[in-house]
Amino acid sequence: MTEPDNFKHKIRSFLIFITYYSAWPFSLVRFCRYLKIPLLRVIAFHEIKDEERLNFEKKLDFLKRNFNVISPDDFLARNFSRDRINLLLTFDDAFTSWAKNVLPALKSKNLSAVFFVDDRGLALAPVLHKAGQTIGGHTVGHKRLTKITPGELESEIAENKKGLERAIGRRIVLFAYPFGDRQSFSQAVVDEVRKAGYEAAFTILPGFNRPKSDNYLLHRDSVNPDWSEKFLWMWLSGAYDLWKKL
Ligand SMILES: [Zn+2]
């Protein structure tokens, strides 16, 4: 990690810390709970390396204790708790190490997640599907969708969807924008995702999703399994949401 990154991360940690202790995030959470408005956080993991496996499993236990961890089916059926923060687990890209480091952990904890897979993961998708996990689209070649021609945009989204559906023998309805930041989607991209037949699409912009949230611009939190429980708790309570442009 370079120096400027380090500095940026220190500032980020400081802002999260002061926001958390200002209790502002809890007012929002309590307010929504009072009004019975369900709140959903969505976690995005990427690769879980061998040396991260233990930390990853501990984090799953921590999340189960502190949140209402829902399945992809619960998400699609809008089966949310109104008393606890709901949490959906997702994984992005196409890592063969998922079979070894993620699937057994999810199984032992009786959890299911969405795996957003690009075309590098066409052979992996049936393995994940047979293990009871949900497959989502993530485009053919993981390009920045705002930077390609309309023709490429259509095939990047539609061909990946067709390929995955052929691989698992089932329709897929969830999509995640590659990269997921503010430069990774536009109205044209959203329209193409909807046209392909997806019912919901996820960014990587942190935040709470509420019933009135745009179903094609859902918030997700990119989480590292090495974060401390305290930091993870502060982040998922919304302490970073105010500062997400950093
Ligand atoms: Zn990705």
Side-chain angles (χ1 to χ4, degrees):
M1 192 183 281
T2 60
E3 278 305 313
D5 264 354
N6 242 330
F7 182 65
K8 204 172 150 180
H9 276 108
K10 272 183 195 148
I11 298 219
R12 190 178 73 173
S13 300
F14 175 71
L15 291 174
I16 289 172
F17 190 79
I18 55 165
T19 311
Y20 179 81
Y21 284 101
S22 74
W24 178 86
F26 297 101
S27 339
L28 175 78
V29 171
R30 288 211 190 94
F31 182 68
C32 290
R33 198 166 289 162
Y34 176 71
L35 291 180
K36 298 284 176 201
I37 297 170
L39 291 173
L40 169 73
R41 299 284 315 193
V42 185
I43 283 190
F45 287 114
H46 288 82
E47 185 176 20
I48 304 297
K49 299 194 179 94
D50 291 357
E51 62 271 24
E52 291 171 327
R53 184 174 167 168
L54 196 63
N55 259 342
F56 170 66
E57 293 189 13
K58 282 189 194 156
K59 288 300 165 337
L60 292 181
D61 290 332
F62 171 78
L63 294 171
K64 275 186 86 165
R65 281 197 306 276
N66 291 283
F67 295 89
N68 181 44
V69 183
I70 60 167
S71 68
D73 288 343
D74 286 331
F75 168 76
L76 288 166
R78 298 289 181 264
N79 186 13
F80 300 129
S81 166
R82 287 159 196 277
D83 302 310
R84 302 177 77 198
I85 297 173
N86 300 281
L87 193 84
L88 176 67
L89 301 172
T90 72
F91 295 80
D92 281 21
D93 302 339
F95 295 102
T96 47
S97 57
W98 284 340
K100 181 164 55 116
N101 294 337
V102 173
L103 291 182
L106 292 178
K107 190 178 179 197
S108 73
K109 295 169 202 311
N110 199 22
L111 293 170
S112 52
V114 188
F115 289 77
F116 293 107
V117 178
D118 58 48
D119 271 27
R120 291 169 295 179
L122 285 180
L124 186 60
V127 177
L128 300 164
H129 176 66
K130 281 188 194 116
Q133 304 301 325
T134 295
I135 304 299
H138 201 43
T139 74
V140 171
H142 208 282
K143 292 176 182 157
R144 206 166 259 288
L145 299 179
T146 49
K147 305 274 189 243
I148 57 179
T149 65
E152 280 180 291
L153 175 63
E154 183 181 5
S155 67
E156 277 290 322
I157 295 167
E159 293 307 315
N160 170 248
K161 187 170 190 285
K162 279 185 216 150
L164 288 170
E165 289 176 340
R166 215 176 297 127
I168 65 170
R170 202 171 163 163
R171 193 172 158 246
I172 64 170
V173 294
L174 302 175
F175 179 82
Y177 303 99
F179 308 102
D181 57 18
R182 279 172 209 283
Q183 285 76 47
S184 69
F185 56 84
S186 62
Q187 192 56 51
V189 173
V190 171
D191 289 346
E192 201 62 50
V193 168
R194 190 183 283 123
K195 195 183 96 190
Y198 284 115
E199 291 172 14
F202 297 82
T203 65
I204 298 209
L205 300 173
F208 283 107
N209 297 292
R210 287 175 281 171
K212 67 167 197 183
S213 297
D214 185 335
N215 234 12
Y216 289 88
L217 290 177
L218 292 165
H219 293 288
R220 274 196 308 167
D221 304 284
S222 183
V223 163
N224 183 328
D226 292 333
W227 286 0
S228 72
E229 289 184 356
K230 179 77 187 175
F231 188 79
L232 185 58
W233 171 250
M234 291 195 291
W235 183 292
L236 294 175
S237 305
Y240 185 56
D241 297 356
L242 273 180
W243 312 103
K244 60 190 153 198
K245 282 186 180 163
L246 286 177

